[in-house]
Amino acid sequence: MAFRISDMLVYRSMAIFFLSVASFIIFLGTPSLARTVTDQLGRNVTVPDEPRRIVSLAPNITEIIFSLGQERRLIGVTRYSDFPSEAEKLPKVGSYVHLDLEKIVALKPDLCIAIKDGNPIAVAKRLESLKIPVYAVDPRNLKTIMQTVLEIGGLINAEKRADLLVQNMDFRIQKVKSLVSNVTYRPRVFFQIGVSPIVSVGTHTFIHGLIVLAGGTNIAEGPVSYPRFSREQVLGLSPEVIIITSMARAAIFEQVKAEWSKWPDLPAVRNQRIFLEDSNFFDRPTPRLVDGLELLVRLIHPELFKEAE
Amino acid sequence: MNTDKPLLIKRLWVVSFSLMLVLLIAMFLGLSLGSSQSGMKAVFQNLFGIEPHDPMLDTIIWKIRFPRILLAALVGGTLSLGGLVFQALLKNPLAEPYILGISGGSAIGAIIGILMGFTRFPGVSLTAFSGSIATLLLILVMSSGQTILKKDALLLSGVMVNAFCGAVIMFLVSLTQDARLHNIIFWLMGDLSMVDMPQVGILAAMLLPCFFLLFWFSNSMNLLLMGKEMAQTMGVNVQAVTVILLVATSFMVSATVSYCGLVGFVGLVIPHLLRLLFGPDHRVLVPACVFGGGAYLVFCDVLARALPDQGEMPAGVITAMIGAPLFIYLLKRTRR
């Protein structure tokens, strides 16, 4: 027995020795100022502990970083990064669907934040082969936007700010939910994001989620994300509210409104409920989407606010 | 073709070397211009190791610009050769893979490959090749009333096939709902910016053997231009040579299309220019097309990067803007 115990002791001390050597080697192997995280596509990305030179590869990511008050870390953005307006002053690295690889590399970023939908995967792969970490996010609805805000907050050491922002978003969403829970009727909404051709939003879009949350029925719901419609189809669905958010200018809006007004039988026309809204509230997965949600409630259920006032 | 052998070889070297020099100048320009605006002097110093190395400039020059200009040189050479071969085989100075719809057919094949989720190589390259062979057969069948290919019939059926291909491409693009759409559209316009070194290597491995094959058959092309009977009596197996050349050219063109989309009119501009400069001997024209066409597309790509204020435009836009007016000019001239 005694022999065995001493044997075990030897083994144990050997094991401890090897483990400590191994951990020392691992410690040496990892750069001390970086950590490995898993992005929203499930890929392992080694990011710097304190990223100071971030290139944002989409307008909504730029917006999130600004909303976290971390714009000093941003050294490059994509074209159309126009909110907040300070973002427009930053160097541009192409548009988010057609990134300028050389520009990105020339800015010497220590981290790029990409989105799954839109950013060409080839560019992300090449950035990684050039040893520039690419963290990809995939915000698809309010819940994943909040998740994205928290994750980006974690990446750039703004957890507290991110927490506050998400709490605020959550609070406002809950408020809308409780407000809408009383409504008995859900008006038929046609949400028009494209003028020519007429394009609306299907079930798998965040705008659909917003319409439902705001107490409306999306008449364009269906498996196609951005379905095209003929005028006839829309008339057949007889929308009660039409919301147009194309990037069109006011003049074109009047034209579109006049187009719809030719059909006075349309409930939306009869009740004068055709609205033009800033597409930025709706087409970018950012915290501002909550503003969009509150706006939608006012458009779809104005009676809720009349009663309150 | 009774040129003295030593004289021919001398001409071959002179022409090849001078065009290689042009290509080198173009490549140097291509290396030194880019969206990051690093000065030409800095690039020069980097190339010859004068300054202490700036690792970022190193990366930009060798990992971003270098694969791109190599691709442009390869594609330019290929498309010029494509034009040269088609013009010789079909005895039509206006024949060119893009105008005849061969490129369009490859593009259809490539888009189908992309939509089916294949990798660039070998999946998309293979579907592109099938597309180009299908259009080639279609054009040949359509235009051959008898065995002789009439000039206008060929050109017309090519233009029609090209228009049809355009429609099918639009159909496929409008079917695509997701974000891949943007990528397809940029790629279609002839985008050279998305390749890295291993991909250029694969493409070179596909194209370089074809270059040598075409050079091997360059004298046969000379003889074919003198007429089928003549070529036959001079010991050319007309049918075999025609099939080999057409298939090799379609293969080369489809390979370039699957990597950088539709770059039009290169095969029209370069062979015409070179024929004016160096005469009609294909033994000189084949290598001249490889180097001259390469230099031309590298230049066009430099323009594509330098012209727009923000971002860059696809090189195919530039080549079409230069090539289409020239096509009209040539069409008018040959009619006379």
Side-chain angles (χ1 to χ4, degrees), chain A residues 212-230:
Chain A
V212 172
L213 261 184
T217 309
N218 178 17
I219 58 173
E221 69 184 359
V224 182
S225 290
Y226 297 101
R228 258 163 268 180
F229 279 85
S230 67

mmCIF file of all heavy atoms in Angstrom, chain A residues 212-230:
data_model
loop_
_atom_site.group_PDB
_atom_site.id
_atom_site.type_symbol
_atom_site.label_atom_id
_atom_site.label_comp_id
_atom_site.label_asym_id
_atom_site.label_seq_id
_atom_site.Cartn_x
_atom_site.Cartn_y
_atom_site.Cartn_z
ATOM 1 N N VAL A 212 -46.498 44.010 -36.313
ATOM 2 C CA VAL A 212 -47.288 43.151 -35.430
ATOM 3 C C VAL A 212 -47.243 43.688 -34.002
ATOM 4 O O VAL A 212 -48.269 43.796 -33.328
ATOM 5 C CB VAL A 212 -46.778 41.697 -35.507
ATOM 6 C CG1 VAL A 212 -47.464 40.838 -34.463
ATOM 7 C CG2 VAL A 212 -47.008 41.128 -36.901
ATOM 8 N N LEU A 213 -46.033 44.076 -33.548
ATOM 9 C CA LEU A 213 -45.891 44.627 -32.195
ATOM 10 C C LEU A 213 -46.733 45.881 -32.026
ATOM 11 O O LEU A 213 -47.313 46.124 -30.969
ATOM 12 C CB LEU A 213 -44.433 44.977 -31.921
ATOM 13 C CG LEU A 213 -43.584 43.994 -31.125
ATOM 14 C CD1 LEU A 213 -42.208 44.593 -30.887
ATOM 15 C CD2 LEU A 213 -44.250 43.645 -29.808
ATOM 16 N N ALA A 214 -46.805 46.684 -33.098
ATOM 17 C CA ALA A 214 -47.531 47.944 -33.026
ATOM 18 C C ALA A 214 -49.031 47.750 -33.208
ATOM 19 O O ALA A 214 -49.767 48.715 -33.334
ATOM 20 C CB ALA A 214 -46.989 48.919 -34.070
ATOM 21 N N GLY A 215 -49.477 46.502 -33.244
ATOM 22 C CA GLY A 215 -50.903 46.236 -33.292
ATOM 23 C C GLY A 215 -51.512 46.309 -34.672
ATOM 24 O O GLY A 215 -52.699 46.596 -34.809
ATOM 25 N N GLY A 216 -50.712 46.053 -35.704
ATOM 26 C CA GLY A 216 -51.261 46.039 -37.050
ATOM 27 C C GLY A 216 -51.177 44.651 -37.656
ATOM 28 O O GLY A 216 -50.589 43.735 -37.075
ATOM 29 N N THR A 217 -51.786 44.490 -38.838
ATOM 30 C CA THR A 217 -51.650 43.253 -39.592
ATOM 31 C C THR A 217 -50.880 43.578 -40.866
ATOM 32 O O THR A 217 -51.270 44.488 -41.602
ATOM 33 C CB THR A 217 -53.039 42.703 -39.984
ATOM 34 O OG1 THR A 217 -53.841 42.659 -38.816
ATOM 35 C CG2 THR A 217 -52.926 41.314 -40.571
ATOM 36 N N ASN A 218 -49.815 42.872 -41.101
ATOM 37 C CA ASN A 218 -49.031 43.103 -42.314
ATOM 38 C C ASN A 218 -49.671 42.330 -43.457
ATOM 39 O O ASN A 218 -49.625 41.107 -43.493
ATOM 40 C CB ASN A 218 -47.586 42.646 -42.082
ATOM 41 C CG ASN A 218 -46.728 42.805 -43.328
ATOM 42 O OD1 ASN A 218 -47.099 43.525 -44.249
ATOM 43 N ND2 ASN A 218 -45.597 42.126 -43.341
ATOM 44 N N ILE A 219 -50.275 43.050 -44.408
ATOM 45 C CA ILE A 219 -50.979 42.342 -45.476
ATOM 46 C C ILE A 219 -50.011 41.719 -46.471
ATOM 47 O O ILE A 219 -50.403 40.939 -47.314
ATOM 48 C CB ILE A 219 -51.981 43.256 -46.226
ATOM 49 C CG1 ILE A 219 -51.261 44.468 -46.810
ATOM 50 C CG2 ILE A 219 -53.113 43.667 -45.325
ATOM 51 C CD1 ILE A 219 -52.158 45.304 -47.687
ATOM 52 N N ALA A 220 -48.728 42.044 -46.365
ATOM 53 C CA ALA A 220 -47.766 41.473 -47.310
ATOM 54 C C ALA A 220 -47.048 40.275 -46.723
ATOM 55 O O ALA A 220 -46.070 39.803 -47.293
ATOM 56 C CB ALA A 220 -46.745 42.537 -47.718
ATOM 57 N N GLU A 221 -47.547 39.777 -45.588
ATOM 58 C CA GLU A 221 -46.783 38.708 -44.943
ATOM 59 C C GLU A 221 -46.745 37.471 -45.827
ATOM 60 O O GLU A 221 -47.658 37.186 -46.597
ATOM 61 C CB GLU A 221 -47.364 38.377 -43.562
ATOM 62 C CG GLU A 221 -48.721 37.712 -43.584
ATOM 63 C CD GLU A 221 -49.265 37.517 -42.169
ATOM 64 O OE1 GLU A 221 -48.568 37.876 -41.204
ATOM 65 O OE2 GLU A 221 -50.388 37.011 -42.043
ATOM 66 N N GLY A 222 -45.620 36.771 -45.725
ATOM 67 C CA GLY A 222 -45.407 35.607 -46.574
ATOM 68 C C GLY A 222 -43.953 35.213 -46.537
ATOM 69 O O GLY A 222 -43.136 35.905 -45.929
ATOM 70 N N PRO A 223 -43.633 34.120 -47.200
ATOM 71 C CA PRO A 223 -42.266 33.594 -47.096
ATOM 72 C C PRO A 223 -41.216 34.454 -47.789
ATOM 73 O O PRO A 223 -40.048 34.396 -47.424
ATOM 74 C CB PRO A 223 -42.368 32.222 -47.779
ATOM 75 C CG PRO A 223 -43.539 32.338 -48.693
ATOM 76 C CD PRO A 223 -44.499 33.284 -48.034
ATOM 77 N N VAL A 224 -41.615 35.255 -48.789
ATOM 78 C CA VAL A 224 -40.618 36.071 -49.501
ATOM 79 C C VAL A 224 -40.300 37.302 -48.661
ATOM 80 O O VAL A 224 -41.209 37.995 -48.192
ATOM 81 C CB VAL A 224 -41.168 36.497 -50.880
ATOM 82 C CG1 VAL A 224 -40.122 37.308 -51.632
ATOM 83 C CG2 VAL A 224 -41.587 35.280 -51.678
ATOM 84 N N SER A 225 -39.020 37.580 -48.458
ATOM 85 C CA SER A 225 -38.638 38.664 -47.546
ATOM 86 C C SER A 225 -39.069 40.027 -48.070
ATOM 87 O O SER A 225 -39.625 40.829 -47.337
ATOM 88 C CB SER A 225 -37.134 38.662 -47.325
ATOM 89 O OG SER A 225 -36.769 37.550 -46.559
ATOM 90 N N TYR A 226 -38.770 40.301 -49.339
ATOM 91 C CA TYR A 226 -39.122 41.607 -49.882
ATOM 92 C C TYR A 226 -39.939 41.419 -51.157
ATOM 93 O O TYR A 226 -39.429 41.575 -52.264
ATOM 94 C CB TYR A 226 -37.855 42.442 -50.106
ATOM 95 C CG TYR A 226 -37.145 42.703 -48.811
ATOM 96 C CD1 TYR A 226 -36.020 41.972 -48.442
ATOM 97 C CD2 TYR A 226 -37.658 43.634 -47.910
ATOM 98 C CE1 TYR A 226 -35.409 42.176 -47.209
ATOM 99 C CE2 TYR A 226 -37.055 43.848 -46.681
ATOM 100 C CZ TYR A 226 -35.927 43.116 -46.338
ATOM 101 O OH TYR A 226 -35.335 43.311 -45.124
ATOM 102 N N PRO A 227 -41.226 41.058 -51.002
ATOM 103 C CA PRO A 227 -42.050 40.725 -52.173
ATOM 104 C C PRO A 227 -42.381 41.955 -53.007
ATOM 105 O O PRO A 227 -42.544 43.051 -52.485
ATOM 106 C CB PRO A 227 -43.316 40.145 -51.542
ATOM 107 C CG PRO A 227 -43.390 40.767 -50.200
ATOM 108 C CD PRO A 227 -41.978 40.983 -49.753
ATOM 109 N N ARG A 228 -42.439 41.738 -54.324
ATOM 110 C CA ARG A 228 -42.864 42.794 -55.230
ATOM 111 C C ARG A 228 -44.378 42.696 -55.414
ATOM 112 O O ARG A 228 -44.925 41.602 -55.423
ATOM 113 C CB ARG A 228 -42.180 42.620 -56.582
ATOM 114 C CG ARG A 228 -41.035 43.567 -56.777
ATOM 115 C CD ARG A 228 -40.143 43.122 -57.891
ATOM 116 N NE ARG A 228 -39.080 42.292 -57.349
ATOM 117 C CZ ARG A 228 -38.130 41.750 -58.095
ATOM 118 N NH1 ARG A 228 -38.131 41.912 -59.382
ATOM 119 N NH2 ARG A 228 -37.176 41.036 -57.536
ATOM 120 N N PHE A 229 -45.019 43.839 -55.552
ATOM 121 C CA PHE A 229 -46.465 43.850 -55.710
ATOM 122 C C PHE A 229 -46.861 44.621 -56.955
ATOM 123 O O PHE A 229 -46.191 45.593 -57.324
ATOM 124 C CB PHE A 229 -47.131 44.516 -54.501
ATOM 125 C CG PHE A 229 -47.281 43.601 -53.322
ATOM 126 C CD1 PHE A 229 -46.246 43.424 -52.429
ATOM 127 C CD2 PHE A 229 -48.456 42.902 -53.124
ATOM 128 C CE1 PHE A 229 -46.372 42.572 -51.350
ATOM 129 C CE2 PHE A 229 -48.596 42.041 -52.049
ATOM 130 C CZ PHE A 229 -47.552 41.877 -51.158
ATOM 131 N N SER A 230 -47.944 44.189 -57.590
ATOM 132 C CA SER A 230 -48.552 45.030 -58.617
ATOM 133 C C SER A 230 -49.597 45.885 -57.916
ATOM 134 O O SER A 230 -50.049 45.561 -56.815
ATOM 135 C CB SER A 230 -49.212 44.165 -59.688
ATOM 136 O OG SER A 230 -50.319 43.486 -59.129
#
